[in-house]
Amino acid sequence: MSSTIWSVDEHLDDILAAVRPLEPIELQLPDAQGCVLVEDVVVEVALPPFDNSSMDGYAVRISDVEGATEEFPAVLTVIGDVAAGDGGLADGRSVGPGEAARIMTGAPLPEGAEAVVPVEWTDGGTGGGPAAAMRAHSESPEGASGEVRIHRSVKPRAHVRARGSDVRPGDLALRAGSVVGPPQIGLLAAIGRSTVRVRPRPRVVVLSTGSELAQPGEELGAGQIYDSNSFALTAAARDAGAIAYRVPAVADDAETLRATIEDQLIRADIVVTTGGVSVGAYDVVKEALSSVGDGGGEDGAGGGVDFRKLAMQPGKPQGFGSIGPDHTPLMALPGNPVSSYVSFELFVRPAILTLMGLPDVHRPRVEAVLSTDEALSSPSGKRQFLRGTYDAEAGTVTPVGGPGSHLIAALAQADALIVLPEDVTSAEPGTRTEVILLR
């Protein structure tokens, strides 16, 4: 273990300097969800690709319905149906003077028509009063012929979605650096793209160490506790956008741990361990990895895993380096639940977002007024991170629970981290302080 005391910023800078964005790959749209685009996407086809109706109704010529009212309707001859998916009227007919065509939402505007009259502004071809809806063609095939009474006039292009009104060929659809979410996938599909070039979602392997750990659902033995860290960190990795794999807790045996990690490297872009990095006699992560090189050859890049002490609370013991032939980054976090989660937020999450190729890898930070009944103490020379709840409307933050790194119940109630700098030993109520927003 290094004898130097590292600052929070020094440790994070060291991590981000060593982690590189993953190489881009071409993925099918469903597989690209959550990934980051590496190239601009330019529109090749207009959207919509043709003038189409935004309503169920009748395609008409403007002059034929001018001045129409319910008392004095315009009576037009219905010459056919145009449904979504049709190329227009049958036999290539056009809408001529005194004529109309039944048209469905999304159907192409037929030749000769200048606007669409909603069916609610007509008698629906029934000869009665205003129609509530258009009768199905199967129930009323005669509706595509005969006459329709129009009760209102319309302006040119009314209820018509123009070709290219969304995007036109040559338009920029999505910029490089965009995260591909559901709306982006919808747009890509709409403009005809089946694949995109992206950086893949990082694969994160999470494992806890400790012979005292039992799996939730099992009976607890003497001296045992449930493994919560691996579940929390796996969920946190997925929340950050990664594909995360949780490995069942590994007992306090250096050889077993080393073999387990080596087996996981085939599916890992980054490995996260929790526990076994302090100064106890059974802190096997240090024992297993302190002397393990990364197989990188003469360049010595990575050089195994360095275990450090950081000037922070919680989360003083940390490990970082790379292992295996591909220099896979490994981040060793403390075993206390709050320490491991705070360490994840400060160090692992930015590393995951860097692997994804995102430019901004940090949680939002704001200033807030400390809302507490008594002053908060903080150790001199250490940056303390306390759990809190943030009230955006009031601009305040309230501590939740105490400073103990085992208080996981308080962590579950928190949506922010209160940051007390290294030179602060006491923060009075009403003090303005930095807050890291977790949600």
Side-chain angles (χ1 to χ4, degrees), residues 393-414:
E393 187 173 340
T396 60
V397 65
T398 304
V400 178
S405 56
H406 65 292
L407 300 175
I408 194 168
L411 180 62
Q413 305 302 318

Side-chain angles (χ1 to χ4, degrees), residues 111-171:
E111 289 289 329
E114 299 168 322
V116 173
V117 178
V119 66
E120 294 86 354
W121 298 0
T122 78
D123 68 351
T126 64
M134 189 169 285
R135 297 179 68 187
H137 180 76
S138 60
E139 296 177 3
S140 179
E142 70 281 359
S145 60
E147 292 182 339
V148 63
R149 287 168 172 75
I150 309 292
H151 302 148
R152 292 175 63 173
S153 62
V154 290
K155 295 180 179 179
R157 309 291 292 178
H159 310 296
V160 174
R161 296 183 288 219
R163 177 183 184 275
S165 56
D166 195 348
V167 291
R168 296 178 178 274
D171 285 352

Side-chain angles (χ1 to χ4, degrees), residues 10-19 308 320 331 347-348 350-351:
E10 288 170 341
H11 183 60
L12 178 59
D13 288 346
D14 189 47
I15 292 169
L16 297 185
V19 175
R308 306 164 177 174
F320 172 66
M331 303 179 71
F347 307 125
V348 182

Side-chain angles (χ1 to χ4, degrees), residues 46-59:
L47 188 65
F50 48 82
D51 291 354
N52 69 88
S53 178
S54 65
M55 305 285 285
D56 292 334
Y58 290 85

Side-chain angles (χ1 to χ4, degrees), residues 74 133 136 157 180 184 190 210 213 220 267 324 346 359 382 398 427 439:
R157 309 291 292 178
V180 181
Q184 290 74 30
L213 298 177
L220 284 178
R267 63 172 182 174
L346 296 179
K382 291 185 178 181
T398 304
R439 299 175 191 167

Side-chain angles (χ1 to χ4, degrees), residues 6-266:
W6 291 61
S7 73
V8 172
D9 296 334
E10 288 170 341
H11 183 60
L12 178 59
D13 288 346
D14 189 47
I15 292 169
L16 297 185
V19 175
R20 294 286 181 270
L22 298 175
E23 288 298 314
I25 58 175
E26 192 83 12
L27 288 179
Q28 297 287 327
L29 290 190
D31 300 324
Q33 183 172 355
C35 298
V36 177
L37 286 172
V38 297
E39 60 185 2
D40 292 343
V41 176
V42 176
V43 178
E44 296 181 3
V45 296
L47 188 65
F50 48 82
D51 291 354
N52 69 88
S53 178
S54 65
M55 305 285 285
D56 292 334
Y58 290 85
V60 300
R61 295 159 59 98
I62 297 299
S63 58
D64 287 336
V65 297
E66 190 172 359
T69 65
E70 191 169 341
E71 186 179 1
F72 299 104
V75 182
L76 304 180
T77 301
V78 180
I79 61 173
D81 271 3
V82 188
D86 289 346
L89 284 166
D91 303 323
R93 292 189 64 180
S94 298
V95 176
E99 295 178 339
R102 284 210 316 174
I103 191 166
M104 314 307 153
T105 302
L109 190 71
E111 289 289 329
E114 299 168 322
V116 173
V117 178
V119 66
E120 294 86 354
W121 298 0
T122 78
D123 68 351
T126 64
M134 189 169 285
R135 297 179 68 187
H137 180 76
S138 60
E139 296 177 3
S140 179
E142 70 281 359
S145 60
E147 292 182 339
V148 63
R149 287 168 172 75
I150 309 292
H151 302 148
R152 292 175 63 173
S153 62
V154 290
K155 295 180 179 179
R157 309 291 292 178
H159 310 296
V160 174
R161 296 183 288 219
R163 177 183 184 275
S165 56
D166 195 348
V167 291
R168 296 178 178 274
D171 285 352
L172 180 64
L174 295 171
R175 292 190 181 277
S178 302
V179 178
V180 181
Q184 290 74 30
I185 288 176
L187 173 58
L188 290 163
I191 62 175
R193 289 290 296 264
S194 63
T195 65
V196 282
R197 191 162 177 78
V198 296
R199 296 192 193 278
R201 293 167 62 196
R203 300 165 300 163
V204 179
V205 170
V206 178
L207 61 91
S208 293
T209 64
S211 299
E212 78 280 10
L213 298 177
Q215 295 304 295
E218 297 177 353
E219 288 290 331
L220 284 178
Q224 285 193 312
I225 60 172
Y226 288 121
D227 171 20
S228 63
N229 286 359
S230 66
F231 286 90
L233 298 185
T234 301
R238 289 174 180 155
D239 185 66
I243 299 169
Y245 304 103
R246 191 190 71 85
V247 180
V250 180
D252 289 323
D253 179 80
E255 287 303 320
T256 302
L257 175 60
R258 188 182 293 115
T260 301
I261 292 175
E262 288 175 351
D263 287 345
Q264 294 296 321
L265 292 179
I266 193 171

Side-chain angles (χ1 to χ4, degrees), residues 250-318:
V250 180
D252 289 323
D253 179 80
E255 287 303 320
T256 302
L257 175 60
R258 188 182 293 115
T260 301
I261 292 175
E262 288 175 351
D263 287 345
Q264 294 296 321
L265 292 179
I266 193 171
R267 63 172 182 174
D269 295 309
I270 186 169
V271 176
V272 179
T273 68
T274 171
V277 296
S278 192
V279 293
Y282 293 91
D283 288 332
V284 297
V285 175
K286 285 193 301 181
E287 182 184 348
L289 301 177
S290 289
S291 61
V292 175
D294 64 4
E298 295 181 0
D299 64 4
V305 179
D306 181 32
F307 291 89
R308 306 164 177 174
K309 295 178 181 177
L310 269 60
M312 66 180 286
Q313 184 183 22
K316 177 181 177 181
Q318 300 282 337

